[in-house]
Amino acid sequence: MTSRSNEAIPGHPIVLGCGQLCLDYLVTVPSFPVPDQKIRCTSFKIQGGGNTGNTLTCAARLGLAGRILAKVADDSQGRWMLEELESSGVDTSFCVTAKDGVSHFNYVIVDNQTNTRTCVFTPGYPPLLPNDLTESLILAVLDGVRALHVTGRSRETELLLAQKAHSKNVSILINAEKRREGLDKLLDLADYAICSTHFPQDWTGSPTSPSALLSMLTRLPKLKFVIMTLGDQGCVMLERCPNEVPESEEETDIDELHESLKQSTDFTSVLPVCNSSMVTRLKGNITGRLYIVTAEKIPSLELMDTTGAGDAFTGGLLYGLCTDMALEETLTFASRVAACCCRGLGARTTLPFRTDPNLAAFLGA
């Protein structure tokens, strides 16, 4: 467990996360084992995990006032996870503890040869359910919150909280990793969406990734932007720009716009760069701007584990949104935060604090 404490920057808004917490058992191996093979690990570590916990830890270390709503069992793993979150400045006082049950845990095998990781998730019980939340708890946990982060893993509870957040004009950011039952209702309420590489096409049925992003903005009128993450290739984002006037009244094909933007993007840059189009009129009566963001090129000797890089990116994005950072700067900042995470074993080890020298250009640290 980290010994470094973190204090929220005075006056910064609160970001709330709702979802699952789990404990990660991390092991690195020289190469992924084949069936019936016995191998020796090169390192082993136990630390808290789960998308929500990782994202809120990242946001808190960057200086936001992190707050989490989750459920753990009253076991040693559950208590350990809450203590670890508190040590990074995340408020866990609203978490629900089940007297009976088992906390979630996850085996993570990191392959040193390919720099990939394989996760084996074991769900705990009982889950976080709507009847765990009283009206007074919902009002208290949303008090002063600027943004709510959801993933759809505790869909009924997250939907209840998101509906109340929506009524209070709290911004909602959703991580859409794959199609889940009930996820559509959360997407309807979302202001911002971060999607896995395949989710936009899987959800919309569109023939290409750019057209899928456009289809998401068309089908989700509340959505201000949608991001598709591409791992070590960075990400692509489509922003809705309803109050800006496009250069031309003619509709632009989103796939042609994407191809043109790729041609003018510097993919050779070691540090992340953000390249954006002009505000454009797109099919479906959408006025928007397309962004391509490259990932940081991490030297092979420094690249250790990609576990949690997406959660780190989300944490950086939440920081930018909650502190009114310019959007292009927010995207390159989030990309740098994600790169920091890849330089250590596990999702929490190298999540940066705001004093990290790699972030000095953005935070003046």
Side-chain angles (χ1 to χ4, degrees):
M1 187 179 302
T2 180
S3 60
R4 295 181 66 178
S5 61
N6 187 56
E7 296 292 335
I9 301 170
H12 271 198
I14 301 167
V15 57
L16 169 65
C18 179
Q20 294 178 351
L21 297 176
C22 73
L23 197 64
D24 284 348
Y25 296 89
L26 299 136
V27 58
T28 61
V29 293
S31 62
F32 196 82
V34 298
D36 292 328
Q37 181 186 27
K38 291 183 179 180
I39 61 173
R40 187 182 297 271
C41 74
T42 55
S43 64
F44 175 73
K45 181 175 289 188
I46 301 175
Q47 63 183 222
N51 301 116
T52 305
N54 297 339
T55 297
L56 267 293
T57 296
C58 182
R61 288 187 180 185
L62 293 174
L64 294 184
R67 182 182 294 173
I68 194 163
L69 176 59
K71 190 174 189 176
V72 297
D74 187 17
D75 54 16
S76 58
Q77 294 95 331
R79 291 189 291 272
W80 198 94
M81 285 188 284
L82 296 181
E83 290 173 4
E84 185 187 38
L85 287 167
E86 289 282 353
S87 74
S88 283
V90 180
D91 178 5
T92 67
S93 61
F94 295 96
C95 287
V96 179
T97 301
K99 294 190 179 297
D100 298 309
V102 177
S103 297
H104 305 288
F105 62 94
N106 199 26
Y107 294 112
V108 183
I109 304 171
V110 180
D111 182 346
N112 284 337
Q113 188 176 61
T114 61
N115 292 317
T116 58
R117 83 284 192 272
T118 301
C119 301
V120 182
F121 177 62
T122 302
Y125 64 90
L128 182 66
L129 298 172
N131 58 16
D132 287 319
L133 308 185
T134 63
E135 183 67 20
S136 59
L137 174 61
I138 293 173
L139 292 174
V141 78
L142 285 171
D143 184 42
V145 169
R146 170 76 177 269
L148 169 66
H149 171 245
V150 294
T151 63
R153 293 180 181 271
S154 303
R155 59 182 180 274
E156 294 178 356
T157 309
E158 291 177 51
L159 180 59
L160 176 64
L161 194 62
Q163 288 169 336
K164 185 65 72 170
H166 172 66
S167 70
K168 292 180 170 295
N169 295 318
V170 174
S171 295
I172 299 171
L173 183 148
I174 185 169
N175 269 108
E177 181 182 30
K178 62 182 180 180
R179 299 187 70 171
R180 305 179 191 275
E181 184 181 349
L183 188 67
D184 288 10
K185 293 181 179 179
L186 277 171
L187 282 166
D188 286 337
L189 294 170
D191 297 279
Y192 313 102
I194 303 177
C195 306
S196 63
T197 304
H198 302 291
F199 180 84
Q201 282 184 264
D202 289 345
W203 190 72
T204 64
S206 299
T208 65
S209 295
S211 64
L213 298 181
L214 178 59
S215 181
M216 288 188 69
L217 286 193
T218 302
R219 293 169 58 175
L220 301 169
K222 189 172 184 282
L223 209 57
K224 296 176 182 176
F225 66 63
V226 55
I227 294 174
M228 178 181 66
T229 57
L230 301 170
D232 61 5
Q233 299 301 306
C235 68
V236 177
M237 184 181 87
L238 183 60
E239 177 195 15
R240 191 192 307 272
C241 306
N243 299 319
E244 297 188 47
V245 179
E247 280 194 326
S248 172
E249 289 297 317
E250 294 184 6
E251 286 187 344
T252 300
D253 181 83
I254 186 69
D255 290 300
E256 292 179 2
L257 180 64
H258 179 246
E259 188 59 34
S260 174
L261 197 61
K262 282 174 61 178
Q263 297 301 320
S264 63
T265 300
D266 181 9
F267 288 100
T268 65
S269 174
V270 173
L271 295 180
V273 296
C274 178
N275 189 22
S276 62
S277 71
M278 303 295 291
V279 175
T280 306
R281 189 177 301 282
L282 302 164
K283 293 179 180 178
N285 198 31
I286 299 292
T287 300
R289 180 186 282 113
L290 190 65
Y291 299 77
I292 290 178
V293 184
T294 66
E296 183 172 339
K297 289 180 173 54
I298 304 172
S300 58
L301 292 177
E302 296 179 26
L303 180 60
M304 188 168 185
D305 179 17
T306 59
T307 303
D311 301 329
F313 180 87
T314 303
L317 193 76
L318 281 167
Y319 179 89
L321 292 173
C322 288
T323 57
D324 298 318
M325 186 182 286
L327 195 50
E328 291 195 6
E329 185 179 12
T330 295
L331 291 166
T332 51
F333 171 72
S335 188
R336 292 227 71 186
V337 172
C340 290
C341 181
C342 297
R343 288 178 163 91
L345 178 62
R348 303 277 179 89
T349 303
T350 45
L351 284 176
F353 290 80
R354 62 178 291 105
T355 52
D356 191 303
N358 290 308
L359 307 180
F362 301 93
L363 305 179

